[in-house]
Structures are given as C-alpha cells and as structure tokens.
Amino acid sequence: MSKLRARLLGVLVLLTGFLTAAGAQPAAADGLPDSLWFDEPAAATLTVAGGRFTDGLGREVVLRGYNVSGETKLEENSGLPFASVADAKKSAIALRALGGGNSVRFLLSWAHAEPARGQVDTTYLAAATDQIRAFLDAGIRVYPDFHQDLYSRYLFNTGSWYSGDGAPKWAVDAGNYPQESCGICLFWGQNITQNGAVKQASYDFWHNTYTLQDAFLTTAQATMAYVRQHLTTAEFAGVAGFDPFNEPYAGTYDSGQTSRTWERDVLWPFYVKFRARMDAAGWQDKPLFAEPNLFWNANIDSQKQEGGLLDAGTLGPRYVFNTHFYDQKAISGILMWGKAGDGQYATDFGTVRDRASAAGTTAIVSEFGHPLSGSVSDKAPTVVKAMYQALDSRLPGSTWWTKPASSGPVLSGTQWQWDIYNGRHHELMNNNPDKVLTTGNAWNDEDLSAVRLDDSGTAVLRQDTRLLDRLYPSATAGSTVAFTYEDRSRDGSTTLTWNPVPSSLPHVSQLVGSGQYGLLLWRSSGSTAPTELHLPASFPTSATTVVSDLGTSFGPPSYTTTTPIAVAPEPGGTGSRRLLLTAPGSGTLHYALVTNGATAPSADLLSAARTELASWAATAVN
C-alpha cells in the first residue's frame, strides 16, 4: 500500500468510524513502529482546546517527561544535549522505557545558534534537529526551549564561583557591564537579583538595548524555520510547541515599575512578537509556552513577586501557561527541616491550574525536581513524590476518595532533568582549564539528573523507578473527571503510601493489596479512539488487573477494536506499553482501576470490587 493510500484510509477511518463494526480490523498507521490505526498522523498533532491539550482525535493529552538536558548549558558538547545522534537515540529509548516519558523539553543555546551577530550557525541547527528527530522517532513529543540562566556564561570570569548560559559573547561584548560578583551567595540563583552584571545585561535584553532582543527574535525565527524545513510533516506533527525564554526576569525594574506591570508592558509584548515569528516560520498551528516572571510562584515570601501574566487577558489556544516549581524552602535546608508529606504541594499546583483556567488555556510545569546529592538530598524522595502527586490531582491522598470531583485536571510536567552524562562530564568551567568539572550536572554544583550511564554505557535511573515510571492518562477520549496514582515509591527502606484504598471499599482494598494502583474517572466523548494510560514496567501485562464499568480483566489481551480493555505497545519501538480503554457513549461517566497488586484474582473478587467501585463512583461524582 502506498503512503498516500494509507493516509487516505486513515482519514476515512476517522470520518466514518466504520471499523468499529464487530470483527473489523483497521490497518496499522504508516509511521512509527508499533503504531495503531489511531496513532498517526492525527493523534500526534497537539493543540489547545477547551483549556486542555488535545490531539487530532479530540482526546485530552497529558505530557509527562523530562528536560533534555542541562548538558546544553555546557561547552563540552558545543551547546547540544548530546555528543552524538547515537547518544540521543540511547537517551530517548531509555527515557521512554525506564522513565515513562512521552515528551521532552529540548534545550537550545542562543550562543551556539548565533555565535556571530547576524550569522546563524546551520551546522549547530542541523545537529540539534537530528537530535530532536531521535526523540520523535521514539514516539516522544518535543517542545524546544531557548534556555538561559544568569543571562550568559560570558558575563563570568574564569575564576568565578558561578557560571551562566544563554546569550552569545558578542551580546555581552556589546554592553559595558560591571565586574560580575554575587557577594556572599549560598545558591547560584541569588545572582539573578544580586549580581550587577547579570541584572544589567538582563535589563538590556528586555529593553532591546543594542537591538539585542531583535537579534534574538530573528535567530529564533531562523531556528524554527530550519527545524520545520528539515523535519518531515509526520515528524513535525510531534513537535508540541516552543518555549521562547527560560525563567524570565527583569534584571531591575524601572522607576515606578512593579513585577506585574513589567509582565504586562515588557514580557507579554515580547511573547506577542515571538508568536508572530512562530507564525512566520511555519509554526502557526503550534502553541507558545509562555513563562511568567520566574518569582511569581516562589514559596518563600521574601522572594515571591506578583505575576502570572495576570494582565495578558485570555491567552487562548495559541499560548500555554508554562511555569516552573521548586521547593526553595526544602532546598534551603533551613526553612523546611522535615520531609514532604501527603498533599504538600496541592495548593501550589492548584494555583497553576487556576491561573491557566482563568487565562483560558492549559498549563505545564516545565521544570520541577530536587537535588539528588548534598545536604538536602534526603528530602528528594518525598519532595518529588509530592510534586507528582500534585500534578496528578489537586487533592491530597487523605481526601481524594471522598471528593474526587474536586481533583481537577491532570497537569502536564517535565522534570528537571535527564542527563545521561551525569557524573561523567569534562567541562572547563568558564573556559578555565584549571577548573574541570566532572561531578553531578557540572554546572553551579547542581545534581538533579534522574539518569546516568553505568560503566557499561547503559542508562540507569538514579531515582526510584516506582516514582519516575508512572501510570498516567496520556490521552483521554472525553474529559477527565479525576485521577490518582499511588506509586508506593520508597524513601530509603520505607514505602510511602499516601493514598491507601479506604476501608469502605474492602474488596477493592483486597484486590490492590500492597501493590501500586491508579484510578481514572472520565466522561466519554463518543470517540472510537481509545483512552490511553501509560503502563509502567512494574505493570507487566500478566500481572495487571483492570476493574472498570467496561468490564474486568486480569492480564488484559492485545488491542482490537472490539476489546474494551486491552494492552498494546506505545509507538516508537521502545518496548514501553499502554493500556487502551474503548468506552461507548457520549457524556457517560466511566471508571477504571488499574493495579499490579493482585495475584490471579478470582472472578468473585473482581465482581465484588467492580460493584464497590460502581457504587462509589455514582455517589462521589454528581
């Protein structure tokens, strides 16, 4: 079958739904390995509709993954996340198979894209595009990010305690910046508000001094145009959007200016300009991932600044509310002595949901995480668990079962970070041959990578696999009502259970036992395409139990159009798997409990658990 005829058949399937007839088997999509009829090209397309990410089949989409990667901040691989395409492919497969990710925030370097003013380096863009393609070929969505921290590495002296990334040398040379110094700074981020050179350079960029912002926008447009032109149409469908500028901050405010008016008068007009550049580069159908003032949701009162793009009006489907969240109290080692607990970040992430909803769009937490070494690393297992819990639901586990209708939308998020070179770097800090960094992230003493390479060159996780490889609804055919996942991740030898099945559901509790479980409630849309949940590796098909209004299944069968509960590989040939739930009706409330805790459950136990869940769902969701 020719590619044209295959794609025409796919369109016909979507328009008529005739393959839902009993016994009819649709042809596989012509695309990624392990693709099914609904996977490509429509399912790969991502837009914003009704305040949610949606694919071309109208399903709600949740993006989960990692930042790829902090390596871009370094010079050892010339501002690229990977030394080679082979390493990018190895990383992509591991990210999907070990880390459960379906998306990445792909870091780009302005300094390497435009090393000389007005001269875009197409060699760099070609290498970056090839590495992006490695993730797309693994079935992973990509949204690029022009990354910066502390404006530029070229602001810092060879003997400095700190370094930056972002702007090229010529942009720094254009300004007469003071000698960089942070004074007595315990954390690199203090440079943002205390280092005079960083503050002045940032101010100049936002005020287009020396036409710096114009140059950046021109390079960004050239970058986007290059990526668009050098990916196939099918590949480009997997590009989710663009993040124009990492963690924007004014540097200093003008007289009478506030953080809020800076967002309104300076930051938002920049995004409008960038949006126009996206359109001109052929990205008109992809959203801009707009970050507010980075301090808008700081959880230390002395750092918090009013913001959140409050005066940008309705962002609508062409923009995504894009924010970061780190627990600075926990990172400080002083302001939070203990560890995180159930519902620790429910309010913080609830604010993100509310802000996106008020802006008429969806949200993504494009950075979150916690140090994995150092004096506060003991908090990481609980802090990151609490962050994922807050992405899944705005409720703590203690109240989820009693009021699931208040759970809120499932948030998208990309953890910081996925750096396969962690602990194996060879970075000359600020080009100083006497300061060769090898440990951690090799950047300002950070160590947050969820992955590393072992001595055989194999990617291995540095965090509990139960925490990272998670059950989540990657595509919902309808509207999500509520979701929760109890990962049973560990803090040392202690298993953390923050959302046990309540005693009022004894048969469900017996079925789950000490295993992991997830529960999704959704209203179907009438689509013939199924709802998809990523199945962690800890949920082998032979040990997976599903209890749903659609039926019950222990060891679900392979997917067919007539099988309401089924398992299939995820597209991309990485060995990762998904649970597929095909639900009839439009507006009908459905539920599905998925657990790996049962061992050959009896038909009576499955039936009793289903009766309990049906009664609970009918009363808990009005």
Side-chain angles (χ1 to χ4, degrees):
M1 180 182 293
S2 70
K3 290 186 177 180
L4 178 59
R5 289 180 62 199
R7 296 195 184 282
L8 288 174
L9 177 59
V11 172
L12 183 60
V13 169
L14 296 178
L15 291 175
T16 66
F18 72 88
L19 288 176
T20 58
Q25 283 293 315
D30 185 14
L32 297 177
D34 297 322
S35 292
L36 295 170
W37 69 270
F38 50 83
D39 285 324
E40 296 181 297
T45 303
L46 193 73
T47 56
V48 178
R52 302 288 188 273
F53 283 121
T54 58
D55 65 15
L57 303 174
R59 298 181 299 176
E60 290 184 1
V61 170
V62 172
L63 303 179
R64 289 288 175 89
Y66 304 84
N67 283 259
V68 179
S69 71
E71 174 68 22
T72 300
K73 300 182 182 186
L74 310 181
E75 287 297 300
E76 62 184 3
N77 284 324
S78 303
L80 291 165
F82 302 99
S84 64
V85 172
D87 277 2
K89 290 180 178 178
K90 175 191 292 187
S91 188
I93 292 169
L95 186 146
R96 192 82 151 134
L98 298 179
N102 67 2
S103 59
V104 293
R105 181 176 182 241
F106 190 98
L107 275 59
L108 296 171
S109 166
W110 178 20
H112 287 274
E114 189 185 8
R117 184 168 191 138
Q119 298 179 21
V120 174
D121 187 346
T122 55
T123 300
Y124 173 78
L125 297 186
T129 303
D130 286 344
Q131 293 186 10
I132 287 173
R133 185 180 293 108
F135 286 84
L136 298 172
D137 287 347
I140 297 170
R141 285 189 172 95
V142 175
Y143 63 104
D145 154 50
F146 262 119
H147 207 81
Q148 72 81 37
D149 296 281
L150 309 183
Y151 190 70
S152 173
R153 69 184 285 113
Y154 299 105
L155 284 174
F156 291 84
N157 304 312
T158 56
S160 178
W161 290 359
Y162 301 103
S163 186
D165 67 283
K169 186 177 186 299
W170 64 260
V172 172
D173 291 343
N176 183 25
Y177 300 120
Q179 181 82 2
E180 65 89 9
S181 174
C182 193
I184 303 176
C185 289
L186 300 178
F187 306 101
W188 71 260
Q190 291 175 270
N191 284 271
I192 298 169
T193 56
Q194 293 180 220
N195 190 320
V198 173
K199 292 165 62 178
Q200 184 59 48
S202 299
Y203 179 92
D204 283 351
F205 176 84
W206 293 114
H207 286 76
N208 201 26
T209 309
Y210 317 116
T211 62
L212 290 170
Q213 192 178 120
D214 289 344
F216 173 79
L217 290 168
T218 298
T219 296
Q221 180 177 336
T223 299
M224 289 185 285
Y226 186 96
V227 171
R228 175 68 186 91
Q229 292 162 8
H230 290 82
L231 294 176
T232 67
T233 299
E235 289 168 342
F236 191 59
V239 177
F242 207 104
D243 184 348
F245 198 93
N246 179 67
E247 296 181 351
Y249 181 64
T252 57
Y253 295 118
D254 288 321
S255 177
Q257 192 175 55
T258 66
S259 57
R260 179 167 177 171
T261 60
W262 177 80
E263 281 193 347
R264 182 193 68 195
D265 300 335
V266 178
L267 181 60
W268 182 248
F270 166 76
Y271 287 142
V272 172
K273 293 175 185 176
F274 199 98
R275 175 72 264 178
R277 299 295 185 128
M278 290 178 69
D279 295 348
W283 292 56
Q284 60 269 23
D285 296 328
K286 299 187 183 293
L288 181 154
F289 289 57
E291 297 189 39
N293 175 346
L294 80 100
F295 294 112
W296 85 280
N297 62 342
N299 72 338
I300 297 177
D301 289 343
S302 62
Q303 293 183 355
K304 191 167 186 175
Q305 298 181 14
E306 186 180 24
L309 303 178
L310 295 169
D311 300 299
T314 300
L315 302 186
R318 285 166 56 80
Y319 297 88
V320 169
F321 187 72
N322 170 21
T323 189
H324 298 174
F325 184 81
Y326 293 97
D327 187 345
Q328 297 297 337
K329 291 181 179 179
I331 292 173
S332 74
I334 298 172
L335 300 176
M336 183 182 123
W337 288 100
K339 299 184 179 183
D342 178 29
Q344 184 90 14
Y345 307 116
T347 298
D348 296 294
F349 284 49
T351 299
V352 174
R353 288 178 170 87
D354 293 342
R355 182 67 206 103
S357 177
T361 187
T362 191
I364 187 168
V365 183
S366 58
E367 284 189 28
F368 63 94
H370 190 81
L372 299 182
S373 63
S375 61
V376 299
S377 60
D378 65 306
K379 302 178 190 295
T382 57
V383 166
V384 179
K385 177 182 173 73
M387 289 177 176
Y388 274 113
Q389 180 193 48
L391 288 172
D392 289 343
S393 171
R394 67 187 304 153
L395 297 173
S398 61
T399 60
W400 191 91
W401 284 91
T402 59
K403 49 179 182 179
S406 300
S407 187
V410 182
L411 282 177
S412 294
T414 46
Q415 183 177 331
W416 184 270
Q417 64 163 320
W418 189 269
D419 172 19
I420 61 172
Y421 308 116
N422 180 270
R424 297 176 179 271
H425 294 283
H426 189 85
E427 173 70 3
L428 278 61
M429 183 175 180
N430 297 321
N431 301 324
N432 186 341
D434 295 324
K435 295 183 71 174
V436 180
L437 306 181
T438 60
T439 60
N441 299 351
W443 193 84
N444 287 346
D445 294 326
E446 283 198 340
D447 185 14
L448 287 93
S449 177
V451 71
R452 64 177 178 86
L453 297 179
D454 65 14
D455 290 342
S456 69
T458 301
V460 294
L461 295 180
R462 300 178 64 227
Q463 292 175 275
D464 186 358
T465 185
R466 301 187 193 191
L467 174 65
L468 299 182
D469 189 13
R470 307 178 63 80
L471 188 83
Y472 61 92
S474 54
T476 301
S479 56
T480 301
V481 175
F483 175 71
T484 189
Y485 179 54
E486 179 47 76
D487 56 42
R488 311 271 194 188
S489 58
R490 291 154 290 197
D491 179 9
S493 60
T494 301
T495 297
L496 303 172
T497 302
W498 291 352
N499 191 1
V501 178
S503 58
S504 57
L505 301 171
H507 293 99
V508 176
S509 181
Q510 179 184 347
L511 188 70
V512 170
S514 61
Q516 300 166 286
Y517 82 88
L519 179 54
L520 175 68
L521 289 146
W522 79 103
R523 294 192 184 277
S524 55
S525 62
S527 171
T528 56
T531 289
E532 301 185 29
L533 292 93
H534 169 72
L535 278 178
S538 59
F539 282 69
T541 302
S542 61
T544 296
T545 301
V546 182
V547 177
S548 171
D549 65 290
L550 304 176
T552 62
S553 180
F554 175 69
S558 297
Y559 173 79
T560 73
T561 55
T562 58
T563 307
I565 301 172
V567 170
E570 289 176 317
T574 62
S576 58
R577 295 164 304 114
R578 51 186 166 166
L579 179 70
L580 301 175
L581 304 171
T582 304
S586 179
T588 304
L589 180 67
H590 300 280
Y591 64 86
L593 173 85
V594 188
T595 183
N596 61 5
T599 302
S602 67
D604 287 345
L605 178 58
L606 292 173
S607 178
R610 186 184 186 195
T611 298
E612 287 179 354
L613 285 171
S615 176
W616 167 80
T619 57
V621 179
N622 296 321

